[in-house]
Amino acid sequence: DHRAFLRVLQSLALTREEQRERVADWLALASDAASVVASHAQSVLGSLALDGELTHPHLAEMSHAVLFRTERKLVRAQLVLLGKVLTRDASAADELLPAVAQAFGHEDADVRERALKLAERHVKRAGSAEVRAELALAAEQLGPALRARAVATLGAAPVDAAATVYEEVLPPVPQPTRLAPAPSSVTELAEEVGAALTADAGVTGFERALDGLVRHAYGNRENLLEALEPVVARRWWVDPRYLGADRRYGDLRHGMFDTSDALDLVLATLWEKTRTDTLHGGLQQGAPAHSCVHAAFSRASDARVWEVAYRIRTEPLPLLLSTPTWSTGLLEPDELVARLDTYRRLGARVAASDFAQAQLRVRREDRSVAAAAARRASALGTAEGARLARWLTAGKPVPPVVRRRTSGTRILAESGEVLELQEDFPSSFRALGRPVSAFGESRYCYHWNNALRAQWPAMVPERRELVAVRLLRDLSDVAADDTRGTASVLP
């Protein structure tokens, strides 16, 4: 894994001469290394190219490799680099335009359009008829709209509408992936937490980071704090002007805006930047007087994080019960029983919100597997084991009554109560099963973060209709108001 050595490489502070001597190595890294390492190699080669210290054949070789990568950021950066070099040096067109044409077949429509614009801008500088013919041939990979443009600008062959049936190809359906265990070393955990704080880590990254913090705070706290020092050094709550994190988290009128907000609360708790009464207040807060249709999800997810932070301060948890087995949020029943057994052996007290989230995630569709796990749970002789056994052997959930309503140009839905979510669940989770009105909830809403929305289906992976009915009004905005972004939760 080259990422482990990237810091070493960067700390060596290579001179420009040393960078030039290793062009072949940079090319190999830009082609095949992990994304963060390829990005570093790309930046080195790009700097050499803009200074005229990278030959056009080498830049073309680099482009042929990078433009076939799936990371959009790398591909777009390469197109920008090619555009700068072509603008500065007209003689580079014959060497570099065929490389640009490689992106005509990229899976991303935006990349294809960017590549076509770049080729159109510089095609007149191509002095070779062979290069022009190569561009025209490559343009056949474009979709109908861009292909029609390429006919006029690149001399591509016109599309025979009668002979061609164009089919828009969607990305592959996301497949569930199994979560790896939480990092066993504090160094690896610190890297994952840092990554989750700076970019959308998805369900997998967030859950692994949260579970890892809980586990190491329980039995390895001093080493954990030492490993996390570089991660927290630049967090906003370290700044003394903020007087710790209480100024932000002490205002309980709003929930957490995204997953990094949740991780910051746990980290600030580890660093003693939050007061215990602030954590207790967050754990005990009631439902807001006026809530939007999404508040049920934010309330439940926030409650789990507040509880984790409060227990880290007062009575650390050995592990999280609710960490999913799969990227969809599903939790295998055997794993949950094994975790409850660990709690029993350690004499640890189960956290209410953590166990409630585990219940909502545990897989019950396979009745034989669920029944076998229920017998083992019951044999634990604990209250949570008995409760899990009842949950696993309960009959098939009764779906809520759904009604269709119209509002102007919109067709909306509302649903009735889900009774099984009103029993044996903390108050912060019961709202997930309350009736949903098409018109009753407040239109004021701060759940604009799409990364946060993507976490919601993983909270109730076997009850997706509870998520869908709460997102329908947002999705109607895409059709009725031509908004963008909301539909990103659909994949």
Side-chain angles (χ1 to χ4, degrees):
D1 186 347
H2 296 143
R3 289 173 296 186
F5 301 99
L6 180 58
R7 292 182 186 174
V8 178
L9 174 61
Q10 291 171 327
S11 68
L12 291 174
L14 300 185
T15 65
R16 181 49 63 96
E17 181 180 355
E18 289 171 327
Q19 290 176 340
R20 284 197 306 268
E21 290 174 352
R22 291 162 175 82
V23 167
D25 294 325
W26 299 122
L27 289 172
L29 290 174
S31 302
D32 300 317
S35 181
V36 64
V37 181
S39 178
H40 177 72
Q42 183 185 45
S43 67
V44 172
L45 291 171
S47 177
L48 291 173
L50 293 176
D51 290 342
E53 298 180 280
L54 185 70
T55 65
H56 294 158
H58 276 144
L59 179 56
E61 179 184 349
M62 170 192 178
S63 301
H64 281 295
V66 173
L67 293 177
F68 271 106
R69 295 188 65 120
T70 57
E71 301 94 332
R72 298 178 185 179
K73 183 178 179 181
L74 290 177
V75 174
R76 291 170 182 172
Q78 192 66 23
L79 291 174
V80 170
L81 173 61
L82 287 168
K84 289 180 178 179
V85 175
L86 286 166
T87 300
R88 293 184 181 187
D89 186 357
S91 65
D94 284 349
E95 289 276 5
L96 300 184
L97 283 179
V100 172
Q102 295 293 317
F104 290 172
H106 197 275
E107 63 180 15
D108 187 279
D110 181 60
V111 169
R112 296 195 296 269
E113 185 171 9
R114 287 170 183 250
L116 178 59
K117 287 180 179 178
L118 185 58
E120 290 172 335
R121 191 178 307 131
H122 298 285
V123 66
K124 293 181 180 179
R125 296 185 176 186
S128 167
E130 288 80 5
V131 170
R132 292 174 181 267
E134 187 173 346
L135 290 175
L137 183 63
E140 295 181 4
Q141 302 173 81
L142 299 168
L146 296 181
R147 175 80 175 275
R149 271 177 46 186
V151 171
T153 58
L154 302 183
V159 179
D160 184 354
T164 303
V165 176
Y166 176 73
E167 181 181 359
E168 189 70 58
V169 179
L170 293 172
V173 175
Q175 295 298 315
T177 56
R178 181 179 279 272
L179 269 69
S184 58
S185 76
V186 291
T187 303
E188 184 184 355
L189 174 62
E191 291 182 355
E192 293 202 12
V193 171
L197 288 169
T198 56
D200 177 20
V203 173
T204 299
F206 172 69
E207 292 291 347
R208 277 171 49 82
L210 186 62
D211 187 36
L213 289 172
V214 168
R215 289 171 181 266
H216 287 288
Y218 179 79
N220 197 16
R221 191 185 186 105
E222 290 185 5
N223 291 334
L224 174 63
L225 293 176
E226 181 181 355
L228 285 171
E229 281 184 2
V231 175
V232 305
R234 297 182 181 180
R235 302 309 297 171
W236 57 269
W237 45 266
V238 177
D239 191 326
R241 292 174 296 176
Y242 281 94
L243 303 177
D246 283 303
R247 180 172 295 182
R248 159 70 181 90
Y249 292 109
D251 181 1
L252 303 181
R253 291 175 298 171
H254 301 301
M256 297 175 198
F257 289 107
D258 53 31
T259 54
S260 65
D261 210 10
L263 292 175
D264 267 323
L265 174 61
V266 176
L267 293 172
T269 300
L270 285 167
W271 253 261
E272 304 288 337
K273 295 293 185 180
T274 55
R275 299 193 306 267
T276 303
D277 62 331
T278 299
L279 299 174
H280 187 262
L283 185 62
Q284 297 297 322
Q285 66 174 312
H290 299 286
S291 62
C292 65
V293 72
H294 316 111
F297 287 108
S298 63
R299 177 92 194 286
S301 60
D302 287 0
R304 184 172 69 127
V305 177
W306 279 110
E307 186 178 51
V308 165
Y310 182 71
R311 290 290 297 269
I312 283 176
R313 175 67 52 81
T314 61
E315 187 184 357
L317 301 167
L319 51 87
L320 284 182
L321 297 171
S322 56
T323 304
T325 307
W326 301 94
S327 56
T328 57
L330 277 173
L331 170 58
E332 291 297 330
D334 287 341
E335 287 193 33
L336 181 52
V337 173
R339 293 171 190 174
L340 285 174
D341 189 37
T342 299
Y343 268 71
R344 182 191 60 79
R345 288 188 290 100
L346 295 174
R349 183 169 62 90
V350 170
S353 295
D354 182 35
F355 184 59
Q357 178 61 91
Q359 273 190 265
L360 292 177
R361 283 177 166 166
V362 71
R363 187 166 66 95
R364 297 192 290 173
E365 287 185 344
D366 189 326
R367 305 307 298 173
S368 60
V369 171
R375 289 191 291 273
R376 290 191 290 275
S378 182
L380 294 176
T382 63
E384 289 77 22
R387 184 171 148 193
L388 176 60
R390 291 196 302 271
W391 180 259
L392 290 172
T393 55
K396 187 175 181 180
V398 178
V401 176
V402 177
R403 294 177 295 275
R404 194 168 82 161
R405 302 285 294 270
T406 59
S407 174
T409 59
R410 304 170 192 269
I411 300 174
L412 303 176
E414 54 189 17
S415 66
E417 190 173 42
V418 181
L419 292 176
E420 72 169 357
L421 298 185
Q422 305 307 310
E423 302 173 0
D424 295 332
F425 277 90
S427 60
S428 54
F429 280 76
R430 290 174 191 163
L432 291 169
R434 298 267 164 77
V436 177
S437 168
F439 308 109
E441 286 80 4
S442 170
R443 287 291 286 162
Y444 173 74
C445 178
Y446 61 89
H447 302 103
W448 47 264
N449 189 296
N450 287 319
L452 188 63
R453 294 169 185 265
Q455 301 281 331
W456 297 342
M459 294 178 64
V460 283
E462 288 190 338
R463 302 299 299 266
R464 296 178 189 176
E465 74 280 2
L466 300 181
V467 184
V469 74
R470 289 174 168 84
L471 289 179
L472 189 58
R473 177 176 284 278
D474 301 335
L475 293 173
S476 73
D477 291 342
V478 179
D481 300 330
D482 200 27
T483 60
R484 295 176 65 98
T486 305
S488 63
V489 71
L490 291 179

